[in-house]
């Protein structure tokens, strides 16, 4: 079965956000606004995306 991949893009700043959200963004590999990464949609990644979804734009590829 093919892996489901997602393209995640940081669209809002992490300035003034709780440390937990900042660490989650760092764990996803996002460093700045408009930074984009392609990730495999594992349950762990989906949980991280869900916890900071207000800072991200997500699209399936």
């Amino acid at each position: 079965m093919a892996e489901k991949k997602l393209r995640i893009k940081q669209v809002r700043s992490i300035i003034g956000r709780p440390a937990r959200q900042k660490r989650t963004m760092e764990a996803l590999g996002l460093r700045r606004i408009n930074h984009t990464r392609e990730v495999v949609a594992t349950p762990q990644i989906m949980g991280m995306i869900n916890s900071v979804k207000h800072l991200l734009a997500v699209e399936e590829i």
Side-chain angles (χ1 to χ4, degrees), residues 3-57:
E3 297 176 331
K4 184 177 173 184
K5 293 190 95 175
L6 301 172
R7 182 174 293 131
I8 56 175
K9 178 179 180 180
Q10 182 176 344
V11 294
R12 297 195 61 194
S13 175
I14 60 171
I15 294 173
R17 302 291 174 182
R20 185 172 182 148
Q21 291 179 7
K22 290 180 182 183
R23 289 193 309 265
T24 300
M25 294 295 280
E26 182 181 340
L28 287 169
L30 298 171
R31 300 171 185 264
R32 59 192 171 275
I33 294 178
N34 290 326
H35 193 202
T36 303
R37 295 256 322 190
E38 291 181 3
V39 295
V40 176
T42 63
Q44 295 83 6
I45 295 292
M46 293 305 294
M48 287 194 285
I49 289 171
N50 193 43
S51 68
V52 291
K53 63 187 172 195
H54 56 286
L55 304 174
L56 302 174

